[in-house]
Amino acid sequence: MSFNDKVVIVTGSSSGIGAAIAIKLAEHGAKVVLVGRNQKKLDQVARKCNNPLVITAEVTKQEDVKRIINDTVKHFGKLDILINNAGISNPSSILDDNAIETFKQTMATNLNAVVHLTHLAAPHIIKTKGNIINISSIASMRVTAFLGFAYNTSKAAVDHFTRSVASELASSGVRVNSVNPGPVKTDIVENMGKTKVEEEAFWAGVKTQTGLNRVSDPEEIADLVLFLASDKAKGITGSAFVSDNGALIKSN
């Protein structure tokens, strides 16, 4: 697969799945735009890419979203691919006092930002006959108690948004798909403040909840994203691609 001369925005690319996607795209010749909140982590990823455009931004802020698209087109002259990867998880019960605030915060990042970025990016992607990939989750297909009602709802909405926009943009030659990972070993547990022992115990437990008794690395999800973003997937749009090691089919 070659992405030579392709301009790709990857949100949430300072670590985890987003970083893996950006690095692999750069390895395949893409002109990558790294977007994230943590400048230090973005710089670390940037060192593994070839002359990327680094944008420190908060995708829930309208002015930042506009800046992401405008700076990309100003710097590279076009936009071919948008990968909406940025997401958060705030586990919460519907009975919690802060349930509504948690819901609003989660939807702001996981759904509203995806809609806003797609809205502003679509006219440019129509010009290049490019495509859009939204990073969703198997939580859109099966309720995951650990991640909470807000996250589950946001990802279900992302899937349907993906299908809706795919239907609308198909006549313009633009493909829109989602990738729905199961457990992926990132820094998410570490960021929760867990100890090393707690982190290892968590991933060991998660592994037993999958049919293949394993947890994916971010690079595996990146491989799938690159396939969908490439011309090898030119006939695929409006689809949700699951990579979950059999978590959805795991029988108790």
Side-chain angles (χ1 to χ4, degrees):
M1 290 180 288
S2 174
F3 288 89
N4 289 339
D5 199 39
K6 298 295 184 182
V7 177
V8 188
I9 293 175
V10 185
T11 66
S13 51
S14 59
S15 64
I17 293 173
I21 292 170
I23 292 168
K24 276 189 178 287
L25 280 165
E27 290 173 348
H28 285 77
K31 298 175 180 177
V32 179
V33 182
L34 305 176
V35 179
R37 295 177 296 180
N38 189 310
Q39 183 67 56
K40 183 179 179 180
K41 289 186 176 181
L42 280 174
D43 289 342
Q44 291 173 349
V45 177
R47 286 194 286 270
K48 299 177 182 179
C49 301
N50 183 30
N51 296 320
L53 174 61
V54 179
I55 301 177
T56 304
E58 171 54 71
V59 295
T60 60
K61 295 181 179 179
Q62 291 192 10
E63 290 306 313
D64 279 12
V65 171
K66 292 177 182 178
R67 180 164 55 85
I68 291 167
I69 303 301
N70 292 339
D71 285 4
T72 296
V73 176
K74 181 179 180 180
H75 187 81
F76 289 117
K78 63 169 185 171
L79 174 60
D80 295 281
I81 301 167
L82 170 64
I83 298 175
N84 286 306
N85 169 75
I88 60 171
S89 172
N90 290 318
S92 178
S93 165
I94 193 65
L95 301 175
D96 289 347
D97 291 339
N98 67 338
I100 301 305
E101 184 60 31
T102 296
F103 181 74
K104 289 180 179 179
Q105 290 174 349
T106 304
M107 295 297 278
T109 300
N110 294 4
L111 178 65
N112 297 358
V114 173
V115 174
H116 196 187
L117 279 159
T118 302
H119 166 65
L120 295 180
H124 300 286
I125 295 177
I126 287 173
K127 291 178 183 177
T128 58
K129 303 300 181 186
N131 65 85
I132 300 167
I133 298 174
N134 299 319
I135 306 302
S136 184
S137 167
I138 60 169
S140 70
M141 304 173 181
R142 186 183 71 184
V143 171
T144 304
F146 168 75
L147 294 169
F149 78 95
Y151 183 87
N152 294 332
T153 303
S154 72
K155 292 304 185 179
V158 166
D159 280 8
H160 211 48
F161 172 73
T162 298
R163 288 185 286 268
S164 297
V165 176
S167 175
E168 181 177 348
L169 298 183
S171 61
S172 297
V174 173
R175 300 184 296 108
V176 188
N177 294 290
S178 72
V179 170
N180 299 55
V184 180
K185 195 170 185 179
T186 66
D187 57 2
I188 185 173
V189 181
E190 178 185 343
N191 292 340
M192 291 178 182
K194 302 293 185 181
T195 66
K196 192 67 176 177
V197 173
E198 290 174 327
E199 186 178 349
E200 291 175 356
F202 172 82
W203 291 118
V206 168
K207 187 165 66 171
T208 65
Q209 297 171 23
T210 69
L212 296 178
N213 195 38
R214 66 184 300 275
V215 175
S216 291
D217 291 320
E219 289 74 18
E220 296 172 40
I221 308 304
D223 286 337
L224 178 54
V225 170
L226 261 65
F227 166 72
L228 287 173
S230 76
D231 289 340
K232 290 182 180 294
K234 61 187 176 183
I236 300 173
T237 193
S239 296
F241 280 75
V242 173
S243 179
D244 70 343
N245 292 295
L248 285 177
I249 60 170
K250 172 70 172 177
S251 58
N252 296 324

